[in-house]
Amino acid sequence: DAGVTQSPTHLIKTRGQQVTLRCSPKSGHDTVSWYQQALGQGPQFIFQYYEEEERQRGNFPDRFSGHQFPNYSSELNVNALLLGDSALYLCASSSDSYGYTFGSGTRLTVV
Amino acid sequence: AQSVTQLDSQVPVFEEAPVELRCNYSSSVSVYLFWYVQYPNQGLQLLLKYLSGSTLVESINGFEAEFNKSQTSFHLRKPSVHISDTAEYFCAVSRLNDYKLSFGAGTTVTVRA
């Protein structure tokens, strides 16, 4: 059983560009959350999607947006990239409030 | 809002020695508590979780954590570590009926022979 799959694994973008990260949840999971993990820090909650709607959002600017598709997969979009957006972006899927499974992440470098 | 404090940023330990990673949280409501492990260049893996019931929870690889409500702590312990336990460990909390995990800054455990 595949767990959470994220793509791409690594990405390099230039300041001001836009990026889209993708996540396929674990089989049986209908909820997808996104986290940003800066170097040397714990993950920070960006937002969660359930039933194709953003259910909860963390303290991130509107440059961060997302989408969930009918098959429960999800995308994270970041516009107008800043150097400070360089981080590991983690996707987590769940079917309840306490059974989160994390993917291996996408390492985004903004230059 | 809840917050999580991991009291040690780095813990060096010799192989077969015991280790304790300290975690304190603050929350005005009941919470779920978690420990995650992150190996280099990988995502997070759940070690163990406390939802309710017995305050002592165990993982399959020898770790255990005890929920102490009065001290708002959820310290992680292992009586004898292996080289393969070298990793970063994160404590996290989630409020009941909330949808996000709030993580501590992490504790880097380095096991030496």
Side-chain angles (χ1 to χ4, degrees):
Chain A
D1 171 35
V4 177
T5 305
Q6 292 188 243
S7 63
T9 55
H10 295 83
L11 202 53
I12 300 176
K13 289 286 189 178
T14 303
R15 271 183 303 174
Q17 285 188 316
Q18 178 264 345
V19 68
T20 298
L21 311 182
R22 295 177 176 80
C23 173
S24 293
K26 182 178 178 178
S27 177
H29 287 183
D30 59 5
T31 302
V32 173
S33 303
W34 287 92
Y35 289 80
Q36 179 195 66
Q37 186 180 15
L39 200 60
Q41 298 182 23
Q44 298 292 317
F45 176 75
I46 302 174
F47 42 54
Q48 184 181 88
Y49 276 83
Y50 173 70
E51 293 188 342
E52 303 179 51
E53 297 285 335
E54 182 183 289
R55 180 158 70 175
Q56 186 174 354
R57 188 179 183 89
N59 189 25
F60 278 80
D62 291 344
R63 297 187 298 109
F64 289 77
S65 63
H67 188 77
Q68 186 178 34
F69 298 94
N71 66 353
Y72 307 124
S73 67
S74 176
E75 290 182 347
L76 164 65
N77 301 293
V78 186
N79 294 321
L81 284 167
L82 305 173
L83 294 179
D85 295 331
S86 295
L88 179 68
Y89 288 85
L90 296 165
C91 172
S93 71
S94 62
S95 57
D96 51 41
S97 299
Y98 41 82
Y100 297 97
T101 301
F102 282 81
S104 297
T106 294
R107 174 75 62 187
L108 172 65
T109 303
V110 182
V111 296
Chain B
Q2 64 270 25
S3 67
V4 181
T5 302
Q6 291 185 242
L7 298 162
D8 308 288
S9 59
Q10 300 202 29
V11 174
V13 59
F14 286 106
E15 193 174 20
E16 297 184 8
V19 70
E20 178 181 74
L21 309 183
R22 296 178 293 168
C23 173
N24 286 95
Y25 69 92
S26 64
S27 176
S28 57
V29 298
S30 297
V31 295
Y32 299 135
L33 295 157
F34 307 82
W35 276 99
Y36 284 86
V37 59
Q38 186 175 37
Y39 298 102
N41 300 314
Q42 294 188 27
L44 301 174
Q45 298 176 29
L46 179 66
L47 259 183
L48 43 76
K49 61 187 176 187
Y50 171 79
L51 305 179
S52 64
S54 172
T55 57
L56 184 65
V57 290
E58 300 177 350
S59 71
I60 58 173
N61 53 359
F63 283 94
E64 65 178 29
E66 186 162 16
F67 169 55
N68 188 317
K69 187 175 183 179
S70 63
Q71 297 186 8
T72 60
S73 67
F74 191 54
H75 300 334
L76 180 70
R77 302 181 183 91
K78 188 171 185 180
S80 177
V81 296
H82 303 290
I83 297 290
S84 59
D85 292 323
T86 294
E88 183 121 24
Y89 293 80
F90 291 95
C91 180
V93 302
S94 176
R95 292 183 303 177
L96 273 63
N97 299 317
D98 197 355
Y99 304 116
K100 71 174 187 180
L101 291 169
S102 296
F103 287 86
T107 297
T108 302
V109 173
T110 304
V111 182
R112 293 178 283 191

